[in-house]
Amino acid sequence: MRALQARGSLVVGLSRRPSRADEHEECDVADRAAVDAVAARVLQRHPRIDLLVNNAGVGARGNYLDVEPEVIERVMRVNYLGSVWTTLAFLPGLDRGSRLVNLVSVAGTVAGGPYSASKHAQLAFSRSITVELARRGVFVHTVNPGFVETEGFPQRDRFGPLSSRLVAEPQLVVERLLDAVDKNRREIVVPRWYRPAAWIQALAPGIVATARARTSRRRLRSR
Ligand SMILES: NC(=O)c1ccc[n+]([C@@H]2O[C@H](COP(=O)([O-])OP(=O)(O)OC[C@H]3O[C@@H](n4cnc5c(N)ncnc54)[C@H](OP(=O)(O)O)[C@@H]3O)[C@@H](O)[C@H]2O)c1
């Protein structure tokens, strides 16, 4: 947000808690009616949107067998449907030359639990809407970060001494996102070295499943 403000943009923020945006709208993006109402208010003040960023997301550690069903529902509603409802609600403001950025995840390319499934769905949405909005001259960017240390996703304590290598700072994502917008890059992975993970999952899903099942059995036995 601050990087966009520094570039001279007027930023309207949608979130449940107050933000430092130039204009803030309280909104739960999982609530379609609320998103429609907020979008109508914002579009009255700003009929054209230059850049729409679908950033809202919640984490969910754990797999299908150990999280509550409510968690499975919540991540789909916020991470996937939140992007869909927000994009559709702001569509009247997106015109030739506008940009849409979807903050997805490397977890959208490698299967592993309910959060990952919500990001797979959001990635499919982002790739689909890239094609659909091309007709209108709206350019869509898909940003897939790996582990990043943020308030909602505290990652450092997960990886111990490896965390300085595995966990990126939010600033790197911001820089790469703006670079993708400036250079018309449709889809990026941040940091880049996460890319092979997506390729291996896509090319050899059976081998990945066998290897991960073995690791998870070993982990269970060592408990
Ligand atoms: N950090 C990572 O490791 C990582 C990796 C890959 C992808 N991502 C993705 O990057 C995006 C940003 O995450 P972050 O790491 O910056 O997490 P964050 O610091 O927790 O930020 C998430 C933002 O989403 C908003 N939000 C959450 N639920 C919302 C809802 N229902 N309605 C409206 N706003 C909502 C939060 O504001 P309120 O709480 O005030 O609503 C907050 O501003 C997410 O889509 C996340 O999945 C993160």
Side-chain angles (χ1 to χ4, degrees):
M1 180 193 306
R2 283 195 295 269
L4 289 172
Q5 288 167 327
R7 286 180 161 211
S9 302
L10 182 141
V11 178
V12 182
L14 274 64
S15 55
R16 295 162 303 172
R17 294 167 297 169
S19 74
R20 292 198 196 128
D22 299 296
E23 296 173 14
H24 178 258
E25 294 279 349
E26 190 182 312
C27 181
D28 179 345
V29 297
D31 179 343
R32 180 157 56 94
V35 175
D36 285 347
V38 164
R41 277 203 302 276
V42 173
L43 288 170
Q44 230 169 26
R45 301 197 299 271
H46 310 289
R48 181 190 153 90
I49 308 291
D50 291 326
L51 176 67
L52 176 65
V53 182
N54 283 321
N55 175 67
V58 285
R61 283 189 191 166
N63 57 44
Y64 282 98
L65 304 188
D66 54 37
V67 300
E68 296 298 326
E70 291 74 20
V71 172
I72 299 173
E73 241 170 45
R74 185 73 190 150
V75 284
M76 287 307 281
R77 285 192 199 283
V78 177
N79 299 351
Y80 164 54
L81 287 174
S83 293
V84 178
W85 301 150
T86 307
T87 304
L88 296 181
F90 279 95
L91 215 46
L94 298 174
D95 206 348
R96 185 157 294 280
S98 297
R99 308 269 173 162
L100 168 66
V101 174
N102 292 310
L103 256 302
V104 187
S105 177
V106 168
T109 65
V110 181
Y115 173 77
S116 163
S118 74
K119 289 290 172 178
H120 274 68
Q122 191 196 13
L123 179 61
F125 162 69
S126 192
R127 288 174 173 170
S128 305
I129 204 78
T130 296
V131 176
E132 295 178 27
L133 286 180
R135 273 178 252 144
R136 286 184 175 220
V138 177
F139 202 100
V140 180
H141 306 269
T142 303
V143 177
N144 296 314
F147 297 113
V148 185
E149 181 68 17
T150 60
E151 185 196 349
F153 295 76
Q155 312 275 21
R156 293 233 179 275
D157 54 348
R158 293 177 80 181
F159 302 106
L162 287 180
S163 69
S164 60
R165 280 166 188 263
L166 288 180
V167 182
E169 291 299 325
Q171 186 56 28
L172 177 68
V173 181
V174 172
E175 280 165 19
R176 294 281 316 283
L177 185 161
L178 293 175
D179 185 65
V181 170
D182 291 341
K183 295 182 177 154
N184 290 335
R185 298 227 157 93
R186 289 205 186 277
E187 192 164 323
I188 59 165
V189 174
V190 191
R192 292 184 183 88
W193 57 260
Y194 274 99
R195 278 188 290 194
W199 301 336
I200 295 167
Q201 169 78 80
L203 290 172
I207 294 173
V208 172
T210 307
R212 294 192 62 190
R214 236 183 248 146
T215 319
S216 119
R217 268 199 304 273
R218 230 180 281 138
R219 234 184 256 141
L220 273 178
R221 272 201 299 268
S222 68
R223 268 186 199 165

